[in-house]
Structures are given as C-alpha cells and as structure tokens.
Amino acid sequence: MIKFLDLKKINDSFEPELSNAIKRVLDSGWYLLGEEVKAFEMEYASFIGTKHCIGVANGLDALRIILRAYKEMSVMSDGDEVIVPANTYIASILSITENRLTPVLVEPDISTYNINPYEIEAKITERTKAIMIVHLYGQNSFHPEIERLVKKYNLKLIEDNAQAAGCYYHHAVTGSLGDAAGHSFYPGKNIGALGDGGAITTNDDELARVVRTIANYGSEEKYRNIFKGLNSRLDEIQAAVLRVKLTHLQDHNSIRRNIAEYYHDNIKNSSIILPLTNWKQDQADKIPGISEKNESNKPLFDPMSHVWHLFVIRHKNREKLLRALHDNAIQTVIHYPIPPHKQMAYPELNNLYLPVSEQIHNEVLSLPMSPVLTQQEVDRVIETLNSCS
C-alpha cells in the first residue's frame, strides 16, 4: 500500500531528536506556557520574518482570534465583510462567521486554485474591512493586484497560511506578507505537531498583545480578565516537537518540490490536468497576472512560491481515476469534495452560483505527497495514472 501520507514514517525520520525533545519536556515538569513555547515562538517568528508569534491551540483558533482581536480593537464590528476565496477549506469561513462577520466569497483562478485577484475589487463595499487570502495546497496566493487593493481601500490583509509553511513571495515568507497570519500545525501539515497546534504571526505590537490576551482567557495578569477570552494555547510538548521539525522544514519542502516536478514531467495522460508549476514560465505566461515581471525582469512566481503541501490534479471522471489508484493500492484524498457554499452549515450561501469553485470541487484529486515517498512509490503512482484511458 502506498499511503497518501505516512505520518509514522515521517515522524520516525526525526528520531532520536523527537524523542529527546519530548523527554526534555517530561523531565522539566512544566507542560504549559513554559520555555519550549517561548523558544518556539521566537524561532518561528524568526523563520517567518515577523516580530511576533503567538502559539495557539489550532489553525482555526488562529484565524478566529485574529478577527476577534480586530473587533476588540474596534477595527471591525458585527456585520462587516471579509473577502475570502470561495474554494477554501471551510475553516477559513468558520473563523469569519463565528465572529459575526460576513464572508464574501470570490472565485479562484482555475489554474492556480488560489483566489482570483482580478475578481476581488468588484466585491468590495463600504462594509469590507479585510481580505483573507488562503495559500491553498501550499502555493503563495499574494499578488500585486491584492497589494494594490489593500492600499487603495485601507483593508486589513489576513493570511491563512495553514498549508504553506516555508512558502515564499519574492524574498518574503508567507505569513509575513499581511497584517496578520494564521498557521496550522495539524499533524498532516508540512510542519506538523503530534496533535493539534497553531500560531499567529504579526508585526503589529498592539494586535499581538490583544491576541495573546484573548487566547489566555482574556487575561494579561492571572485572575484579571480584560476580555471575554478563550483557552487556546500551544502546549510544551507540541512546541518541543515543532522546534525539532522546524529545523528540517526547508529540506523537506525541497524534497516535495522535487517530487512535484517529477510528477509533472512524467505524468503523460492528456485527460489529467496537472497543477501549475510556477518554475515553468511557458505555463505561467498563459495565466493573467502570473506572467508579470518585477523590476529585475524576473517572473514574480518561482519554485519557492510553492511548498506542495498537496499535489492536486483534476480529471473530468474523477471516480475512474480513484478506482484505478485504489485497485493498485494507492491512497488518495479529495481536497475538498463539497465547496463551502454548498455545505448544510451555510444554508444562506447555498443559492450562490460559483461555477469555477464547483468545477474544482467536482474534479480535484490529491496524489501521495510527502518527504518520505520513495522513488519506486512515485513511479508506481505515475505508471498507474498513465495507464488510465
């Protein structure tokens, strides 16, 4: 069986560092808000390139606490609008509605699967307070047009960086591009904990203070509560685990890039639509905005702008591919089978007509992708796909 993501094998690759880190926490006798969390927050902030990193319980909490903090700071109020990609994982939208804000869904670019920057401005109203970009599947979604809109309309830019740790836009790391970013360390992410975990990064001192306070019961000083806060904390064991994995993240991302390029160069089935590979400028030239150049006349998008959290293909008859892969003992996953606006949780959105998002959700299929895939396994996936008629 070729596993979609072999977490045990991935975690084994960090030994004995991982076991030593866990033992260090156990021996310390301190399990919450201790030295491991402080150290990880400093190290991750340095990696991302921000002044502040605040560890929280998970990626959803990271996003919802950012928005809650903006409400406490009177930057947003009930009913204000946040623009968000229509084809994101539902957590992005949950963070908005939980704060009694209004999600405004914008279609993605069919080639990149990220929000289409040229469809955003038409959705901006007097109630729009922020754009939440999602670096979906591990690919940077920031764009000069989004930068222009944020400045023109004085909007907050929030990054959902749950899937893109270590991804770049020019020389900056995603998670440092906007006013604040939410990160997830769910076990399957490129940098994954041994359970849930998340973080918020920002350069805004006041936002960092409010975020940290909200996440700790609304308290800056024990038993004195400024806000009606939450209990959302990264624990010491997870922080210690993440400190180990952070030192290997770029190497593992490099392996993912190599696998992605190999998939792209060797899958030769014309019925399969491969994801955009940004290092291939001949493809990029076909997509509006992607072919733009910076002052040095280099493409804005390069190999570092994708960390390949997922390698997502499309096919008109997805079920046929699923059966072929299953018959050859190859695990796959659909990210995601139902678009957010068609979920039962959001009946108020069910009547929206979002054909690009619906097409994507009907056709996408994620292939095995991880830093521990063997060449033999990758070749078998490719052979199976190429043999499908």
Side-chain angles (χ1 to χ4, degrees), residues 26-293:
L26 294 176
D27 290 345
S28 76
W30 194 286
Y31 309 121
L32 283 172
L33 300 180
E35 295 305 314
E36 296 291 343
V37 170
K38 289 178 185 177
F40 173 72
E41 288 179 341
M42 291 178 60
E43 291 160 7
Y44 197 65
S46 176
F47 174 80
I48 295 295
T50 55
K51 290 171 64 177
H52 304 282
C53 170
I54 301 93
V56 294
N58 54 68
L60 173 56
D61 275 7
L63 294 174
R64 68 179 183 139
I65 291 171
I66 290 168
L67 293 171
R68 169 70 184 282
Y70 278 134
K71 293 186 72 177
E72 295 290 355
M73 296 164 66
S74 299
V75 174
M76 301 178 188
S77 58
D78 286 4
D80 282 343
E81 297 171 352
V82 178
I83 288 173
V84 65
N87 64 315
T88 184
Y89 181 56
I90 200 167
S92 312
I93 297 169
L94 288 171
S95 71
I96 298 169
T97 57
E98 185 167 324
N99 280 287
R100 296 193 295 276
L101 300 168
T102 303
V104 177
L105 307 188
V106 173
E107 288 269 57
D109 184 308
I110 191 65
S111 299
T112 66
Y113 309 126
N114 279 325
I115 192 168
N116 189 329
Y118 298 108
E119 292 197 8
I120 294 175
E121 190 164 21
K123 298 293 184 74
I124 294 174
T125 73
E126 293 181 355
R127 295 304 302 268
T128 306
K129 293 297 190 295
I131 300 173
M132 180 183 289
I133 58 174
V134 181
H135 305 300
L136 196 66
Y137 306 152
Q139 181 167 214
N140 163 65
S141 64
F142 194 47
H143 187 278
E145 175 67 3
I146 295 174
E147 186 175 17
R148 183 186 74 83
L149 295 174
V150 166
K151 291 177 180 177
K152 178 179 178 179
Y153 295 99
N154 192 29
L155 303 175
K156 295 297 182 184
L157 179 64
I158 300 167
E159 297 174 76
D160 182 339
N161 200 50
Q163 299 185 7
C167 177
Y168 279 78
Y169 175 76
H170 297 338
H171 299 294
V173 182
T174 57
S176 69
L177 306 175
D179 296 281
H183 306 256
S184 170
F185 306 125
Y186 181 78
K189 296 298 195 290
N190 289 33
I191 173 172
L194 300 184
D196 274 322
I200 295 162
T201 54
T202 184
N203 286 313
D204 185 327
D205 295 340
E206 180 61 10
L207 179 65
R209 183 190 70 82
V210 175
V211 158
R212 191 177 293 279
T213 304
I214 290 171
N216 187 35
Y217 294 98
S219 174
E220 287 183 302
E221 179 184 347
K222 196 169 185 178
Y223 302 130
R224 294 183 181 273
N225 302 80
I226 302 170
F227 308 116
K228 297 173 183 176
L230 306 169
N231 174 17
S232 182
R233 299 178 293 202
L234 183 67
D235 69 62
E236 287 285 284
I237 286 180
Q238 302 302 348
V241 166
L242 291 168
R243 291 182 69 194
V244 170
K245 293 191 172 186
L246 182 59
T247 64
H248 298 273
L249 177 59
Q250 294 295 46
D251 288 340
H252 281 195
N253 283 347
S254 180
I255 295 171
R256 288 172 177 269
R257 290 187 182 101
N258 291 337
I259 293 171
E261 184 165 18
Y262 191 82
Y263 270 148
H264 194 277
D265 289 344
N266 291 280
I267 295 173
K268 301 298 183 181
N269 187 329
S270 60
S271 65
I272 294 173
I273 300 172
L274 297 168
L276 174 71
T277 51
N278 287 323
W279 62 83
K280 296 183 181 299
Q281 188 59 23
D282 59 332
Q283 278 197 17
D285 285 336
K286 300 174 185 177
I287 298 174
I290 299 298
S291 61
E292 295 171 348
K293 306 290 195 296

Side-chain angles (χ1 to χ4, degrees), residues 282-342:
D282 59 332
Q283 278 197 17
D285 285 336
K286 300 174 185 177
I287 298 174
I290 299 298
S291 61
E292 295 171 348
K293 306 290 195 296
N294 59 23
E295 292 179 0
S296 62
N297 202 38
K298 294 180 180 178
L300 287 174
F301 285 66
D302 60 37
M304 298 297 286
S305 70
H306 208 317
V307 295
W308 299 101
H309 172 58
L310 300 171
F311 191 94
V312 181
I313 61 174
R314 291 190 1 248
H315 194 277
K316 295 292 184 182
N317 189 350
R318 181 173 60 195
E319 293 303 315
K320 185 176 182 180
L321 278 189
L322 276 169
R323 286 194 299 272
L325 291 162
H326 179 268
D327 290 345
N328 284 275
I330 299 169
Q331 288 185 342
T332 59
V333 179
I334 299 173
H335 295 91
Y336 303 97
I338 305 173
H341 70 285
K342 294 299 183 182

